[in-house]
Amino acid sequence: MLPKRLQTGDTVGLISPAGVAGEEWIQKTCRGLETLGLKTEFAPSLFRTTWGYAASAQERADDFQTMLCRADIQMILFGGGEVCHELLPLMPYDLIRQNAKIICSYSDSTTLLNPIYAKTGLITYYGASPGTFHALTSYNRKCFEEMFFMGKARPFLEGGPWKTIWNGQAEGILIGGYLENFALLTDGAYLPISPDKHYLLFLEDHIRFHQPAAVARYLAHIEQSQFFQQVTGLLFGHYSEPQNPDLIALLQRFAACHALPTIFCDDFGHGDRNAILPIGVPAFLDAQRQQLIFQQDTVL
């Protein structure tokens, strides 16, 4: 299930399910989105601190529902944080099916983007967050416009050199996000996986959050899950500047253990480049040619 593509003059609904949004920070987001010809609307609880670290779980879930039900909202955008897991039992999955809209975020929001796809069939989008629009680079702008204004089946837009970790080709449904959050979802009630499908996994982390030993812990957790038996390839995103040799060695051991086609790049994640990956779209990964191809349109 695909949402409709964006057009100039459309409205983006801003919510904050993963924490507290700062007003000055959000105003910078609004100015950035205006350069793309988009308007913005704030959810009622966007700036609330009911629970100190965020609005209450119900307030945040209600914000999601409000934006879904508003006919004038074409896209729902939110950032990362810590507490999206609190919303999983409260999410309006039936309403999401009935009101297909662009839902885009990254980081902790991995926890919502993947279950929304798995439980409703709606394609969701990982990579851009409100902070992406504070100083919109030409690369990030092009990724956003190609994904949401155009939305044609195409190769992933490379912004920098890619590194082949393990050669091979793989096909499957794109799924993934921030490493820790995705690991917490695996084999759980909110990430039901079709046993007859293959999955292309994309993951990212950052050295300021997790050293390579912690990355190894979360990769091992995914590796030991039932889900991993259906993974055909891996794309790993930005981790540090410069590249961390311990991480690269870890990925090489991981890929070699499973003969898993694997590529490392800096084009998505917690870095300067915020390319967008559509969760739920079938894709083809060619590690030798260093290419990822979306095999269907990404919006209607």
Side-chain angles (χ1 to χ4, degrees):
M1 185 164 59
L2 290 170
K4 292 181 180 178
R5 69 189 65 240
L6 289 177
Q7 299 181 36
T8 301
D10 281 350
T11 301
V12 177
L14 296 170
I15 64 174
S16 188
V20 178
E23 292 192 39
E24 183 178 349
W25 189 79
I26 287 294
Q27 289 299 335
K28 290 180 181 179
T29 301
C30 295
R31 290 193 290 271
L33 288 167
E34 286 172 3
T35 68
L36 294 165
L38 299 170
K39 298 179 289 188
T40 53
E41 284 287 335
F42 297 169
S45 301
L46 181 63
F47 304 116
R48 286 183 187 168
T49 59
T50 308
W51 284 359
Y53 54 78
S56 72
Q58 191 61 60
E59 286 172 330
R60 285 175 278 146
D62 288 346
D63 277 358
F64 214 108
Q65 181 165 322
T66 296
M67 292 302 182
L68 283 170
C69 292
R70 283 185 53 170
D72 61 326
I73 301 293
Q74 289 78 35
M75 177 181 188
I76 301 173
L77 179 68
F78 47 104
E82 297 289 350
V83 289
C84 279
H85 268 88
E86 294 180 331
L87 272 64
L88 287 173
L90 305 174
M91 288 295 290
Y93 298 108
D94 288 340
L95 274 177
I96 292 170
R97 290 189 195 95
Q98 298 163 19
N99 298 273
K101 297 186 179 186
I102 296 172
I103 301 173
C104 182
S105 188
Y106 88 139
S107 196
D108 184 62
S109 302
T110 298
T111 301
L112 296 180
L113 297 175
N114 287 280
I116 287 171
Y117 161 67
K119 284 184 165 290
T120 71
L122 176 67
I123 303 302
T124 59
Y125 306 88
Y126 186 91
S129 74
T132 300
F133 305 94
H134 289 186
L136 192 60
T137 66
S138 59
Y139 175 74
N140 292 343
R141 181 187 184 112
K142 187 172 183 180
C143 287
F144 186 90
E145 290 177 335
E146 287 197 2
M147 182 64 63
F148 297 129
F149 284 91
M150 299 168 63
K152 296 297 184 183
R154 58 175 177 80
F156 181 95
L157 181 63
E158 297 176 26
W162 287 24
K163 183 179 183 65
T164 298
I165 303 295
W166 190 267
N167 264 325
Q169 298 178 335
E171 287 186 283
I173 303 298
L174 273 177
I175 197 167
Y178 182 60
L179 175 60
E180 178 181 13
N181 290 84
F182 191 84
L184 289 171
L185 286 171
T186 51
D187 289 355
Y190 292 99
L191 191 63
I193 297 299
S194 300
D196 58 341
K197 291 183 179 179
H198 292 136
Y199 294 91
L200 275 178
L201 183 61
F202 68 90
L203 297 169
E204 57 98 357
D205 206 325
H206 199 279
I207 195 167
R208 73 177 183 266
F209 304 131
H210 294 120
Q211 292 295 312
V215 173
R217 172 179 62 203
Y218 293 120
L219 279 177
H221 180 84
I222 294 172
E223 179 183 37
Q224 294 160 19
S225 70
Q226 184 71 26
F227 157 77
F228 188 71
Q229 297 178 24
Q230 297 168 244
V231 172
T232 60
L234 172 65
L235 179 66
F236 203 97
H238 178 74
Y239 179 71
S240 63
E241 186 64 44
Q243 288 183 10
N244 184 284
D246 290 338
L247 176 79
I248 298 301
L250 164 61
L251 292 175
Q252 288 170 338
R253 292 192 298 271
F254 182 82
C257 181
H258 304 284
L260 188 71
T262 300
I263 292 175
F264 175 86
C265 74
D266 286 309
D267 289 343
F268 68 98
H270 288 72
D272 293 332
R273 294 199 287 271
N274 298 150
I276 301 165
L277 290 150
I279 295 172
V281 164
F284 173 76
L285 181 73
D286 189 327
Q288 183 172 0
R289 295 184 178 180
Q290 299 181 338
Q291 192 175 52
L292 175 69
I293 300 172
F294 306 137
Q295 294 180 306
Q296 71 169 53
D297 291 354
T298 56
V299 287
L300 287 175

